[in-house]
Amino acid sequence: MAKRASKSPSSILEVATLAQVSTATVSRVLSGRRTKDDDIARRVRRAAADLDYSVNYAASALRSDVTNTIGLVIPSATDSFSAGLLDELEPTIDGGSRQLLLGIGADEAMQTDRIDALCSRKVDGLIAVTSAGADLSTVFDKYADEIPIVQVGGRQRSFRTNMVSIDENTAMEAIIRHLAGQGVRSVAYLAGKEVSFESAELFAMFHTQVRAAGLATDSDWNRFGDSTVQRGFDCTIRLFGERGHPDAIVCADDTIAFGVMMALHALGMNVPEDIKVVGYNDSPIAAASLPTMTSVRPPYHRIVEETLRLIEAGPGHPSHVSLPPELIVRASSTKR
Amino acid sequence: MAKRASKSPSSILEVATLAQVSTATVSRVLSGRRTKDDDIARRVRRAAADLDYSVNYAASALRSDVTNTIGLVIPSATDSFSAGLLDELEPTIDGGSRQLLLGIGADEAMQTDRIDALCSRKVDGLIAVTSAGADLSTVFDKYADEIPIVQVGGRQRSFRTNMVSIDENTAMEAIIRHLAGQGVRSVAYLAGKEVSFESAELFAMFHTQVRAAGLATDSDWNRFGDSTVQRGFDCTIRLFGERGHPDAIVCADDTIAFGVMMALHALGMNVPEDIKVVGYNDSPIAAASLPTMTSVRPPYHRIVEETLRLIEAGPGHPSHVSLPPELIVRASSTKR
DNA sequence: GTGAAAGCGCTAACAT
DNA sequence: ATGTTAGCGCTTTCAC
């Protein structure tokens, strides 16, 4: 590349000259490492503003080993959780002078690759949303005592990194309690993928909460499967071919719930009058469905808050934070 | 922050020592600025691999003014176009040694702020998806001759920057031609927001294409409005209270088309047998609806290709590329 | 084609 | 508290 075409940006030396102080003082004032707000400080700030000065991050990073960047790795931008997190995270990070470096990796190999790339850039902190089934403990451990790492959601694999996750148990409790409050007596659960540990765990929580609330369920109603519209549709059609049916269907994902609602419509059942439906993840289709769908929303704001707190804390003090999600009550589960 | 806890990463000097050459040669070999692949080159690469060496980007950037980063500004990660672009862009950029710096700004002020931040980081190129109604020409012009800037989609405001956009006319032509091929004789159009220039333009294209294909339409059928499910639903209900109805409904957005399909279902009409429906944007709901929805998909791959090509070209040669989108034909518009 | 050496802009260490 | 100075790791002249 040719040298910057127009005027090169002003350097700290020019600011120092204009403010009649040393470059060290300018650095100290502008980075807030100097306490007082006296005449000198004002002169420096004034000069910096006049010259439209902004630090050269490359030089700053080279000297101080602080890059003012945070790395984020996600499985895909179209993943609704990652997108929600991103929208909440970016403004919070960028409020200061930090910037977000993004890496996208659909599987374990790609995610590992991206984490290597981000760490070789010496990001000040790394946030990772692991893709389904990926085990990043090896690469996490590799950098764990150099930079703070926070895994958001998923299953914890490395015990040398921080973890911010969603308290699914509280979510399930909120769902069941809400349904009981709406007069529901019996409830079915359409779980996620059979092989997944998380699905099994959620399924167990469902049973616990149903029992605790004094509701009924039936093992024939509850099935594992893919998180697709088709699967929700098929399961529902099958459900209504059997002897009895529940007052409510709880689904492990909004897409399943969506298929459920389409099937109920086809069967001539009204939601929520005849049967109530609850989804999970609060994806865009939850608000776009007809009727609008009750769903569980990850507490993005608190997730970001905790994640950044753990990054400030620096490497070496791994801790685990579990946050209760928010139940977004909409038309599909409300008695009228 | 304390000095790196563990072993500090190896420097170019160590590589040079091990390979028994000067640091200059190492730099040249590793950056590909040296032609031959002789013994020296091999020795250097070998030494670099052995020491697990990777360049210090801060030092490299400080010296050469090349940061190996690309800045991207989008209105929101939950915007389906931005997410689709991101998923296609990241692997392409990251294939080399470049990294993606992301900025999110919902409105003109925020986007301007993010662009300033990215440019003060001296990104090697800037890609922007402007939020609806935002005019970024001022900030674009400010940096236009320092770094290459590419605006993706939206309305062109600055004539000093590159533009990669979607050829909506071709899209409309493809839709109408497809419908005509499915035996459709008359067609309605549910347009986007009334105030928008883009909506008006698309509406005009619709009329042109309908006429060219020898199809019929009716001014009472065609309405402007919000891109929401409710709006599609309401417009459809109203449509069928009138004297005649079309064989097909084309919508300016998938969410509108979705509402249309729900209304048709409620009216006892079958899609696609009785009436065909086409959406726009190929958002997740298009593939998730029942029947699956024919929609228009932005050509992400080509968009990224052209965008990066324009960035390689450097600043100062603004050009405009218009790319034909892809019509994704699904069940909602296919005769059976 | 290769090596020696300068220096990018900044901050940390040290001296005052 | 402020100034002086060295040097972070790299790329790029410049000389050979």
Side-chain angles (χ1 to χ4, degrees), chain B residues 21-22 24-25 28 34 36 40 62-63:
Chain B
V21 291
S22 71
T25 301
R28 287 192 268 251
R34 182 177 176 284
K36 290 194 294 187
I40 290 181
L62 175 58
R63 184 61 235 247

Side-chain angles (χ1 to χ4, degrees), chain B residues 30-85:
Chain B
L30 263 33
S31 67
R33 225 171 320 95
R34 182 177 176 284
T35 34
K36 290 194 294 187
D37 184 15
D38 55 6
D39 184 56
I40 290 181
R42 257 167 286 136
R43 245 163 48 214
V44 169
R45 269 193 285 272
R46 185 73 211 282
D50 284 356
L51 293 168
D52 195 25
Y53 169 77
S54 66
V55 291
N56 181 320
Y57 287 96
S60 172
L62 175 58
R63 184 61 235 247
S64 68
D65 256 22
V66 176
T67 55
N68 285 301
T69 55
I70 300 283
L72 172 67
V73 175
I74 59 175
S76 162
T78 47
D79 168 48
S80 83
F81 178 77
S82 298
L85 183 67

Side-chain angles (χ1 to χ4, degrees), chain B residues 4-16:
Chain B
R4 302 241 161 263
S6 60
K7 68 208 180 304
S8 61
S10 45
S11 80
I12 197 171
L13 184 59
E14 300 175 56
V15 178

